[in-house]
Amino acid sequence: MTRNSYRAADRNKTHQGTPGSVEDLAGHRSTALTQIAADAEKQAAFLELNLWQYPLSSVNLTATFGQYGLWSSYHTGLDFNGDTGDPIYAIANGVVTAASYDGPYGNKTVITLDDGTELWYCHQTSFSVSVGDTVRGGDVIGTVGATGNVTGSHLHVEVRPGGGDPVDPYAAMQQHGLFRD
Ligand SMILES: [Zn+2]
């Protein structure tokens, strides 16, 4: 065997020793990049749609909008069952425009969205945000409680477009991607 053929053999051996590895690596990397791009696209679409998030980690509705019964007129919000101390998450991005005690609503946080819609979170035990704070959907804004006019701990949510009269939060939440299943 000549030196040249040795070299050639070595080269071949080196190449054969790692069959397809370069291609595999490139394949993995391009899959990973595709995945990252897809995730980013999904996130961008999510933000563009202004999708909302559930305010509690476990969703169990106990009273709906427009019901008559315990309330002075009809029920002006949507009640989520929760235990005192459970974290309350911001449903959407916005600015805190109130965080104080408000009679029958108890400890109430109001977050005003970009379009002027107010989201009310009521009967809280504690506040985690103050007026002027900017919050992102999913941020903890306080804890569930039983302050104000209640028979037990829960989160009462109201949706008030333009800060006006309350609309059905369930329908509003459906428009923003919740309760679709
Ligand atoms: Zn309620």
Side-chain angles (χ1 to χ4, degrees):
M1 208 178 267
T2 66
R3 279 176 89 175
N4 279 344
S5 68
Y6 246 115
R7 276 200 205 127
D10 274 344
R11 252 202 317 270
N12 281 337
K13 194 177 170 194
T14 303
H15 191 76
Q16 286 162 5
T18 54
S21 64
V22 172
E23 285 78 3
D24 280 355
L25 196 62
H28 282 306
R29 180 182 286 172
S30 115
T31 305
L33 288 175
T34 305
Q35 187 58 45
I36 288 166
D39 288 349
E41 216 166 277
K42 216 186 288 172
Q43 181 65 9
F46 180 89
L47 293 172
E48 193 172 327
L49 284 170
N50 189 21
L51 294 182
W52 288 4
Q53 308 191 35
Y54 292 108
L56 299 182
S57 53
S58 153
V59 174
N60 178 16
L61 301 178
T62 49
T64 52
F65 182 81
Q67 281 187 323
Y68 288 87
L70 300 169
W71 307 277
S72 54
S73 56
Y74 63 91
H75 189 228
T76 51
L78 186 63
D79 288 354
F80 291 80
N81 187 32
D83 293 326
T84 292
D86 285 352
I88 301 168
Y89 305 102
I91 294 168
N93 305 340
V95 174
V96 179
T97 48
S100 60
Y101 190 82
D102 182 16
Y105 290 105
N107 289 326
K108 180 186 82 176
T109 299
V110 176
I111 295 178
T112 303
L113 313 187
D114 282 348
D115 67 0
T117 300
E118 290 184 356
L119 298 186
W120 291 18
Y121 307 78
C122 306
H123 312 310
Q124 295 173 225
T125 296
S126 67
F127 298 103
S128 306
V129 293
S130 314
V131 171
D133 286 352
T134 297
V135 299
R136 312 272 313 164
D139 286 352
V140 174
I141 58 143
T143 54
V144 172
T147 56
N149 186 13
V150 296
T151 55
S153 67
H154 70 278
L155 173 66
H156 171 101
V157 172
E158 294 199 2
V159 176
R160 293 174 172 253
D165 289 338
V167 299
D168 183 356
Y170 190 89
M173 286 175 182
Q174 278 195 312
Q175 283 171 11
H176 292 279
L178 303 181
F179 299 115
R180 289 259 176 103
D181 34 279

